[in-house]
Amino acid sequence: MYKLAPSLLAADFGILKQQLEELERADVPYIHLDIMDGVFVPNLSFGLSVVQSIRKYTKMVFDVHLMIIEPERYVEQFAKAGTDIFCFHIEATKNAKELVAKIKELGMKAAIALKPATPISTIEELLPQLDMVLVMTVEPGFGGQKFMEDQMEKVKKLAELRSQHDYHYDIEVDGGINPQTLKTVFANGANVIVAGSAVMGAEDISARVKEFAQIAKDYNI
Ligand code: DX5
Ligand code: ZN
């Protein structure tokens, strides 16, 4: 099922509350929260305190994308701050299996992100346990980059594996999604769509949300 997850990274933090209200009014189901530590990726963003404070203002599903090393250090704190989906990069941890179990034990959904150069084989044995797989369609670290079409093979393969084995994960794409590239990702089988600049940077956010929803409908997603 189609879910839009606008990325907070592209929001105007001076008017964060209004921006969240605008997304709620547009019936957006998820909000994508990019957490960066300046080590796993060459950029810093925001952390737990922002997640905690915006939790008070919205019922949207918190889709937390951790671009940090050793994400297991913060799993309890993110759960407490109101995270619904905890997504980590496979290279960032030494024991992904244990972390997936811990995420679930804390009542969150478990997701793993794949950087453009990271193959599906690195997470293959965890696929039965996952609620979502995030396919990066740009190098993680910054918003506003160009969509990498060569990642569609991975999306297609994940959809194939899911139907072959009866897995249940959603397939999320993140980076460079706009009304044009949206068609490509739907055609390949993604259903959870992160969009930073295309949605938060749009002149009319709700019109852009509607435009995305219409495309999802056209593709039966
Ligand atoms: C990049 C982040 C993305 C980013 C997407 O590391 O993971 O979520 O906000 O931004 P756009 O949609 O502008 O590429
Ligand atoms: Zn992200």
Side-chain angles (χ1 to χ4, degrees):
M1 192 192 179
Y2 165 61
K3 303 277 182 199
L4 178 62
S7 169
L8 200 73
L9 201 61
D12 181 344
F13 280 72
I15 51 161
L16 208 46
K17 191 161 171 260
Q18 284 104 296
Q19 299 243 284
L20 292 169
E21 283 164 359
E22 193 163 356
L23 293 174
E24 289 230 330
R25 272 199 303 275
D27 273 332
V28 165
Y30 287 11
I31 180 87
H32 183 82
L33 305 173
D34 288 303
I35 313 293
M36 304 181 186
D37 66 356
V39 180
F40 186 76
V41 287
N43 195 10
L44 287 167
S45 61
F46 50 86
L48 276 162
S49 53
V50 170
V51 178
Q52 225 164 30
S53 27
I54 62 170
R55 189 66 284 184
K56 295 195 283 283
Y57 300 114
T58 174
K59 292 199 166 58
M60 281 185 281
V61 169
F62 278 10
D63 172 28
V64 178
H65 177 195
L66 292 132
M67 286 162 272
I68 67 172
I69 56 163
E70 297 166 14
E72 60 274 12
R73 291 173 296 161
Y74 299 105
V75 64
E76 275 104 358
Q77 291 172 72
F78 274 100
K80 232 186 250 157
T83 298
D84 297 290
I85 304 169
F86 186 100
C87 180
F88 65 92
H89 279 263
I90 191 66
E91 298 89 349
T93 183
K94 285 197 187 75
N95 200 336
K97 199 171 174 189
E98 214 170 87
L99 181 52
V100 167
K102 184 83 190 165
I103 293 167
K104 296 196 161 192
E105 199 183 297
L106 289 163
M108 297 181 288
K109 291 198 163 160
I112 299 185
L114 299 173
K115 291 202 273 188
T118 307
I120 296 172
S121 58
T122 57
I123 60 164
E124 204 145 4
E125 57 167 338
L126 292 166
L127 291 177
Q129 269 85 54
L130 295 182
D131 298 300
M132 191 163 79
V133 178
L134 167 52
V135 175
M136 291 301 306
T137 41
V138 296
E139 283 300 337
F142 300 91
Q145 304 181 74
K146 192 174 175 284
F147 176 74
M148 297 168 76
E149 186 146 8
D150 61 354
Q151 296 303 306
M152 292 305 97
E153 247 172 72
K154 234 185 259 177
V155 171
K156 219 192 268 171
K157 182 78 192 160
L158 283 165
E160 259 169 45
L161 287 168
R162 183 177 54 197
S163 62
Q164 272 165 21
H165 300 276
D166 244 355
Y167 297 151
H168 70 281
Y169 52 77
D170 284 317
I171 303 173
E172 181 176 49
V173 284
D174 182 7
I177 307 294
N178 57 41
Q180 208 43 51
T181 56
L182 184 60
K183 295 177 185 159
T184 309
V185 298
F186 282 150
N188 286 282
N191 69 302
V192 181
I193 307 299
V194 179
S197 33
V199 169
M200 302 311 294
E203 213 157 288
D204 183 342
I205 290 181
S206 95
R208 182 49 58 80
V209 171
K210 279 195 192 120
E211 185 182 358
F212 271 42
Q214 183 56 50
I215 299 169
K217 221 170 171 189
D218 295 344
Y219 280 80
N220 267 321
I221 305 285

